[in-house]
Amino acid sequence: GRRPSKVPLVRAIRAEVDQWRRAEYTGASQTSRTLLRHWFQSDHRVKTDQGEEISFRYHWAQREAIETFIYLYEVRRVRCVAELLCEFGDDKLADLALGIPPEDDRWAKYCAKIATGAGKTKIMSLAIVWSYFHSLYEPDSDLARHFVIIAPNLTVYERLKDDFENCVIFYRDPLIPDEWRPDFQMQVVLQDEPGGATTTGTIYLTNIHRLYPSRDKQKDELENDFSAIFGPKVVRGRALDTSEELRKRITSHPRLMVLNDEAHHLHDPDLAWNRAIDALHEESRQRGNAGLCLQLDFSATPKHNDGTLFRHIVVDFPLGEAVDAGIVKVPVLGESEELSVRGDETTPAHERYAMHLQLGYYRYAKTYEELHKVRKPILFVMTENAKAANEIAAYLDSDAFPLLKGRVLNIHTRLKGSIKTVKRGGCLVKEFVENESAMKPEDLRALREMSRELDSPDSKFRCVVSVMMLREGWDVRNVTTIVPLRPYSAKSGILPEQTLGRGLRRMFPSGEIPEMVTVIEHPAFRRLYEDELQQEGVDIAFLPV
């Protein structure tokens, strides 16, 4: 059975989509029905990276999401958020729709609330294929053949690049019927690339910073928050030229679809990200084109700063369902009567949180004993600031923690600093040092690569200590233990859930054997469980450690 959704629109939309599915997609175009049957009613075989051929099936969340998008856009023809609220909302939401200014609601926007690890990228690829062939084959189509996939930072950008560069995902997954493949002429343009020959369709994959239409205080503040792990700070002259050229290319097409990953960053209409999308629409219209036809937003935590959910959520696949389906690990809360914080803010972090770290290590050591012959477990520690990260990393990289000595990767945010190679425990370790000259681009690239390759058996690192930058878009699968040491005081409440998301991705592809991720007890996580996850059907076990 389904977990009940807290989102009013989803409850109404889900019932109609279920009925539409049972009716064999009545009212949809021939193109859409062909694709839906190909995706979900055919047997598929795909090849693994090792060349082995295996059976393939889309997860339920992926199926329901694309069915919902097609139903709303093509069958119900919902073209703005106000229509969405009036059609599927209660009286309160219908009244809210009347207060939406038309200038803020000029194209269709649908948001998918999808648990971390449930495959947002695959939903994006399904939506792109549907829109492309609908535009190509249906004479009256108002969908797009040109797409903009926007990432909030370079960490997420690099993850998306792995799937979309050279159209890898479209030929790896069974997205396109064999007889349609010759008509799929798609070019993927990465940010800063000039692009190649003109094709029928184009996907622009870019970091949001490349789309800002103008320099202003808000943009400078966002770039100042841009952490080292996400890549070097954008050079002003070059970035501005790149932005203008990129927007010019994008807005030259007849119409556009925008897909936003980690879309909780769009929580405020006045943010630069939203203004950049508005600018794409306006510039397209000024050039005589149709602008945006559809905006798809994807996030596990689509919440405003006050904790309320986005009003245009049309799909909800909560963590409870992802756990039930075996798509993600089972969260476990490790608790102990001995847990306490020692001292005050002047006490070194490794002394304040010594018991948390020791219990985290104890749990990690048990997991390591169980798994190290087939997988390399990873301990993930999120600290409150860079100083604490340095203190805790040095503490864990010592004789007191033999499994971690010489194997700790310390990553955290600072505007200025450098990476120096230091000797610890007989091993050379790259460490971030504050208040020195600006970090070199080659050092940043090296640090990003180290964090991206943690799952590899060739990577020596078994522990990651971080402040903030690894809270999203980080696809390391081998995290088995999380030690959260941040206050998590934001009203939105999304940071605990994002931190948990860093350990949810499964290590093994089959969902038949449950996998666990242990979170050492923290007040914010207990609140997250009691206020959010329990309502979404997540039955978290409490494990004495």
Side-chain angles (χ1 to χ4, degrees), residues 129-150:
V129 169
W130 162 63
S131 179
Y132 175 91
F133 282 110
H134 192 281
S135 175
L136 190 65
Y137 291 161
E138 299 297 326
D140 59 346
S141 176
D142 60 355
L143 281 165
R145 297 179 213 171
H146 301 88
F147 309 87
V148 187
I149 302 177
I150 305 177

Side-chain angles (χ1 to χ4, degrees), residues 304-348:
H304 298 285
N305 281 340
D306 61 1
T308 59
L309 292 163
F310 287 4
R311 60 192 177 190
H312 64 298
I313 297 172
V314 299
V315 175
D316 184 12
F317 189 70
L319 182 56
E321 291 191 26
V323 172
D324 286 345
I327 297 173
V328 298
K329 296 189 184 100
V330 179
V332 174
L333 195 65
E335 58 181 1
S336 171
E337 295 179 356
E338 301 178 11
L339 279 177
S340 62
V341 179
R342 302 171 181 173
D344 54 26
E345 293 183 357
T346 63
T347 307

Side-chain angles (χ1 to χ4, degrees), residues 116-117 120 150-160 207-209 222 225-227 229-230 260-267 273 298-303 380 382 451-452 466-476 492 494-503 505:
T116 298
K120 297 193 297 288
I150 305 177
N153 50 57
L154 290 181
T155 304
V156 179
Y157 170 83
E158 292 288 344
R159 174 175 59 78
L160 292 168
N207 188 314
I208 183 58
H209 297 73
L222 284 170
D225 289 337
F226 200 58
S227 66
I229 190 63
F230 295 154
N260 294 304
D261 200 4
E262 305 293 353
H264 44 272
H265 291 281
L266 283 76
H267 58 82
W273 189 323
F298 299 87
S299 174
T301 54
K303 297 179 181 179
F380 181 68
M382 183 170 278
S451 66
R452 281 169 55 82
S466 168
V467 182
M468 281 289 288
M469 72 292 300
L470 297 183
R471 66 181 184 176
E472 61 190 13
W474 192 58
D475 280 352
V476 174
S492 65
I494 69 173
L495 288 181
E497 194 167 347
Q498 288 178 339
T499 304
L500 178 59
R502 306 289 59 81
R505 297 183 186 277

Side-chain angles (χ1 to χ4, degrees), residues 26 101 156 165 174 233 327 367 375 385 396 418 468 491:
T26 302
V156 179
E165 188 175 18
K233 187 176 179 181
I327 297 173
T367 307
R375 282 290 189 278
N385 54 50
L396 294 175
S418 63
M468 281 289 288
K491 290 183 179 179

